[in-house]
Amino acid sequence: MRAAMERITDYKVIVIGSGPAGCTAAIYLSRANLAPLVLEGLQPGGQLTITTDVENYPGFPDGILGPKLMDLMRQQAERFGAVFKMEQVESVQLIGHPFTITTDSHIYECESLIVAAGASAMQIGLPSEKALQGFGVSYCATCDGFFFKNKEIVVVGGGDSAMEEATFLTKFASKVTVVHRREELRASKIMQDRARGNPKIQFILNSTVDEVIGTKEGGITSLKLRNLKSNDVTDFATQGLFVAIGHTPNTQVYAGQLELDERGYICLRHPHSTATNIQGVFACGDAVDHVYRQAVTAAGTGCMAALDCEKWLTHERITERWDLPVGEEDRD
Ligand code: NAP
């Protein structure tokens, strides 16, 4: 049994998540003298820490490495008094004040909460995929690409992530095959062109992975690929599988308290606010956004959440238009 955990009441505002949304919220909150606690989770810095070059974040004309960008954001927040702790949130109690946040090592009380918990890589859902995770199946080219030097590997997915992973993996692999379930790729033209122009990358379209063949001892040896047009299943020899098929929001611990949509993204009360269905709880970044999902948009909504939170704390804890049902806020 776990020993009783220390209860900490030092922080008026807690930010859950330390990606661009959480860090930007922390910068704004700390500059407003609210010195927030940022609970970083198991992946401090969020998804950008497992990417390489970030070429589309404004202000860096030559690009910047994802981990470096996140380190700079964190330093900027710490400079003004934000406190970062590498703790994983296990449960929250958001009904009534103060809110309580239970992590793997402490219980925190706070008056206001910003949820910037981000999203995680989606899995195909095959038992063989699960069994071989870390033994040839990966969700992060930056983390694991090095282990596939001079090997032939497969990337599953047709979006920007898949193109980015495939292109990056050609630095290591001798051949990269992108397997996508449709004829058309979803990726932006520039990312598609880059991948298509790379002589190490080939495409198998209209196909899915039915099974991953291999062992923990020997790694992956092949994949069973199903052609969705002919329904034929063939063995495709490969030594690695990188799954890049999108993300799912990290919002499970809020279910039943925060209003979530059918995919688990946090619902906001109003398009021009980060307020959730619970007064004093604000949400931003990829935990909310399944449309744009960019570092810069996450940072923007992190700023909004901090401003909304500050306003809520200083103006009698009333959020304008609060009590109207969702959808009726615009009817003045
Ligand atoms: P995404 O755009 O949602 O693409 C996911 C891809 O995986 C789609 O091609 C989808 O197929 C496929 N897929 C989904 N579930 C699957 C399954 N169970 N089995 C097989 N295939 C499956 O996700 P993303 O590529 O991660 O990109 C997310 C967002 O981040 C986008 O807005 C993207 O622009 C952005 N992003 C930008 C950059 C960059 O600019 N450098 C890099 C990475 C990501 P269908 O097409 O058939 O649905």
Side-chain angles (χ1 to χ4, degrees), residues 56 158-161 164 180-182 186 245-246 292-294:
N56 50 12
D160 280 341
S161 294
E164 191 173 67
H180 177 46
R181 63 185 179 184
R182 288 187 299 130
R186 182 179 292 276
I245 60 172
Y292 300 103
R293 295 182 287 187
Q294 303 297 305

Side-chain angles (χ1 to χ4, degrees), residues 27 60 64 66-77:
I27 291 167
F60 299 94
I64 181 166
K68 177 73 185 163
L69 178 60
M70 293 324 302
D71 194 40
L72 290 173
M73 284 194 200
R74 178 195 167 121
Q75 283 180 36
Q76 195 172 349

Side-chain angles (χ1 to χ4, degrees), residues 50-300:
I50 55 167
T51 60
T52 45
D53 292 321
V54 179
E55 294 178 337
N56 50 12
Y57 200 88
F60 299 94
D62 300 322
I64 181 166
L65 291 173
K68 177 73 185 163
L69 178 60
M70 293 324 302
D71 194 40
L72 290 173
M73 284 194 200
R74 178 195 167 121
Q75 283 180 36
Q76 195 172 349
E78 284 176 330
R79 178 180 157 211
F80 298 109
V83 175
F84 285 69
K85 290 192 186 177
M86 195 178 148
E87 292 180 32
Q88 174 76 348
V89 174
E90 293 187 341
S91 64
V92 295
Q93 191 288 113
L94 306 177
I95 312 299
H97 274 89
F99 302 136
T100 56
I101 315 297
T102 305
T103 71
D104 41 6
S105 44
H106 295 100
I107 297 172
Y108 295 96
E109 288 185 3
C110 62
E111 291 178 37
S112 185
L113 178 70
I114 292 182
V115 181
S120 301
M122 270 166 48
Q123 305 187 1
I124 302 171
L126 305 167
S128 54
E129 171 197 14
K130 199 170 179 58
L132 291 167
Q133 276 169 16
F135 299 93
V137 177
S138 170
Y139 301 84
C140 172
T142 329
C143 319
D144 301 328
F146 185 78
F147 302 115
F148 293 86
K149 238 176 178 169
N150 300 321
K151 295 187 174 174
E152 298 193 359
I153 53 186
V154 163
V155 172
V156 174
D160 280 341
S161 294
M163 298 309 112
E164 191 173 67
E165 300 275 87
T167 305
F168 175 75
L169 285 165
T170 58
K171 290 184 186 178
F172 308 100
S174 54
K175 188 174 94 180
V176 178
T177 303
V178 175
V179 174
H180 177 46
R181 63 185 179 184
R182 288 187 299 130
E183 183 75 35
E184 295 82 28
L185 298 171
R186 182 179 292 276
S188 57
K189 189 171 181 312
I190 185 170
M191 302 289 274
Q192 283 194 40
D193 289 349
R194 200 174 286 176
R196 288 192 192 279
N198 189 318
K200 280 189 174 179
I201 299 179
Q202 67 171 32
F203 289 82
I204 297 182
L205 301 172
N206 302 307
S207 298
T208 52
V209 177
D210 261 15
E211 196 181 341
V212 188
I213 312 288
T215 59
K216 287 189 175 167
E217 297 71 34
I220 295 179
T221 51
S222 67
L223 303 175
K224 284 200 184 302
L225 296 186
R226 180 178 298 274
N227 183 306
L228 296 175
K229 289 205 157 156
S230 63
N231 217 23
D232 289 344
V233 177
T234 48
D235 275 329
F236 185 81
T238 192
Q239 294 156 299
L241 171 63
F242 284 80
V243 180
I245 60 172
H247 293 84
T248 187
N250 301 324
T251 54
Q252 295 82 349
V253 296
Y254 312 99
Q257 299 184 71
L258 290 186
E259 191 184 338
L260 306 179
D261 72 11
E262 68 284 352
R263 284 179 287 180
Y265 289 90
I266 298 170
C267 300
L268 301 178
R269 297 293 288 173
H270 189 276
H272 305 302
S273 158
T274 59
T276 67
N277 60 307
I278 296 181
Q279 290 216 23
V281 181
F282 303 87
C284 53
D286 284 9
V288 172
D289 171 26
H290 50 81
V291 179
Y292 300 103
R293 295 182 287 187
Q294 303 297 305
V296 68
T297 52

